[in-house]
Amino acid sequence: DELPLIRKSFSLPNKKILKARVYACGLGSYNLFLNGKRVNEELLNPLITRYHVNYFYNVYDITSMLSSGENVFGAELGRGYYSMNSNGTEWQKENWKNAEWRDQPKCKIVAFITLEDGETCIYTDESWQITKSPLIVDEAYYGEEYDARILQDGWNNIGFNAEKWESAKIAAAPKGKAIPQLAEGSIIEKTLPLKELYHSDSEILFIAEEMTTGWAKLVVEGNLGDEIEISYSEWLDENGKLDLKGLLS
């Protein structure tokens, strides 16, 4: 049940790159990289569907991101609603973990690269490499656990040594039909400042200037193995502390 990081190193000849498109689907969600840079600016793509009926793929122009010589695709996968290990909240009763479509995270990536003397196709197969992601737990309603000690710097970029990575395995496609995602995904619109309301030896309470959907960005110092827990809520309780009672009930 571990979440994976996936990479593929490939080489292009010293020819002019006329056009390049990548078609990508990662279930339940994915981030795609090329030569260390994000390809998709949207978050939590693709959008949610009943995956046994249909599921979405995304298309991106990567012409300007490629160069002659070595290039590297990288992808990190999340569970989203396709591969949940929980049943959601008590009021939902959705039984997500027993959904008809539920399966382990997987992806398909196909890139068509048009050079001045022909076309090259790069696609996911056993030549891609895979390893454990620092994202340990990924649940839509219960948050995530991230172990930064596992992260391998430069894993999605040129020149990385992936000798210890394993070969990827071919997985069965979802039962549904793959269709292009026409609706826009979620993107980062702005960064909000936080105001400190409370500070003790073990916790700090911050408040944003407006109600929003997002996550906190922290800069911290500590020791290897130290744990930081971040909780979010829309309310404060009668004592001015974070009120978590109603979030999952």
Side-chain angles (χ1 to χ4, degrees):
D1 277 6
E2 293 180 350
L3 292 165
L5 297 179
I6 304 171
R7 77 186 308 272
K8 169 68 174 180
S9 175
F10 61 97
S11 183
L12 293 177
N14 188 20
K15 303 286 186 179
K16 184 178 181 180
I17 300 171
L18 302 180
K19 180 176 65 175
R21 301 286 186 275
V22 62
Y23 298 74
C25 177
L27 300 176
S29 61
Y30 73 96
N31 291 322
L32 181 63
F33 303 87
L34 178 55
N35 298 333
K37 297 180 180 180
R38 279 281 295 263
V39 173
N40 58 319
E41 67 170 346
E42 304 97 342
L43 307 171
L44 304 177
N45 259 2
L47 298 177
I48 303 166
T49 64
R50 290 189 172 274
Y51 303 98
H52 63 297
V53 178
N54 53 51
Y55 56 94
F56 294 124
Y57 65 85
N58 308 104
V59 186
Y60 302 101
D61 185 336
I62 56 171
T63 308
S64 63
M65 302 179 71
L66 292 166
S67 61
S68 59
E70 184 185 13
N71 292 268
V72 174
F73 273 122
E76 52 186 4
L77 302 184
R79 293 192 175 279
Y81 290 86
Y82 177 74
S83 184
M84 289 182 66
N85 281 330
S86 69
N87 281 332
T89 62
E90 293 181 9
W91 56 266
Q92 279 193 310
K93 307 295 183 184
E94 292 287 0
N95 200 20
W96 289 102
K97 69 179 182 181
N98 294 315
E100 181 175 348
W101 61 75
R102 187 191 181 279
D103 203 348
Q104 291 303 311
K106 61 187 67 174
C107 71
K108 184 171 185 178
I109 300 167
V110 181
F112 295 99
I113 305 168
T114 303
L115 306 174
E116 57 185 344
D117 62 347
E119 186 174 75
T120 296
C121 180
I122 308 295
Y123 56 90
T124 39
D125 59 12
E126 295 95 333
S127 69
W128 288 55
Q129 295 174 285
I130 189 170
T131 195
K132 181 179 179 180
S133 170
L135 186 59
I136 306 301
V137 175
D138 172 33
E139 287 291 330
Y141 296 101
Y142 295 91
E144 67 180 43
E145 294 181 16
Y146 186 92
D147 190 344
R149 296 170 297 181
I150 298 176
L151 181 63
Q152 302 176 52
D153 290 338
W155 68 272
N156 56 8
N157 210 343
I158 298 168
F160 178 78
N161 185 354
E163 289 183 357
K164 295 183 179 180
W165 287 40
E166 300 178 0
S167 297
K169 297 180 180 178
I170 300 298
K175 295 180 181 179
K177 179 182 179 181
I179 59 176
Q181 178 177 308
L182 302 181
E184 294 182 356
S186 300
I187 62 171
I188 299 175
E189 293 188 343
K190 57 183 175 179
T191 300
L192 300 176
L194 298 178
K195 177 183 177 181
E196 182 181 315
L197 292 186
Y198 171 82
H199 192 166
S200 72
D201 292 339
S202 60
E203 64 181 14
I204 306 175
L205 176 61
F206 294 98
I207 186 170
E209 61 185 18
E210 63 183 74
M211 192 73 72
T212 187
T213 298
W215 64 93
K217 181 179 181 180
L218 303 179
V219 178
V220 299
E221 294 182 357
N223 301 312
L224 188 67
D226 285 350
E227 296 184 1
I228 299 173
E229 181 177 336
I230 304 175
S231 300
Y232 301 90
S233 179
E234 298 176 357
W235 307 278
L236 299 178
D237 63 21
E238 61 274 11
N239 298 314
K241 300 291 186 68
L242 207 63
D243 185 354
L244 302 174
K245 294 179 181 178
L247 293 181
L248 298 174
S249 62

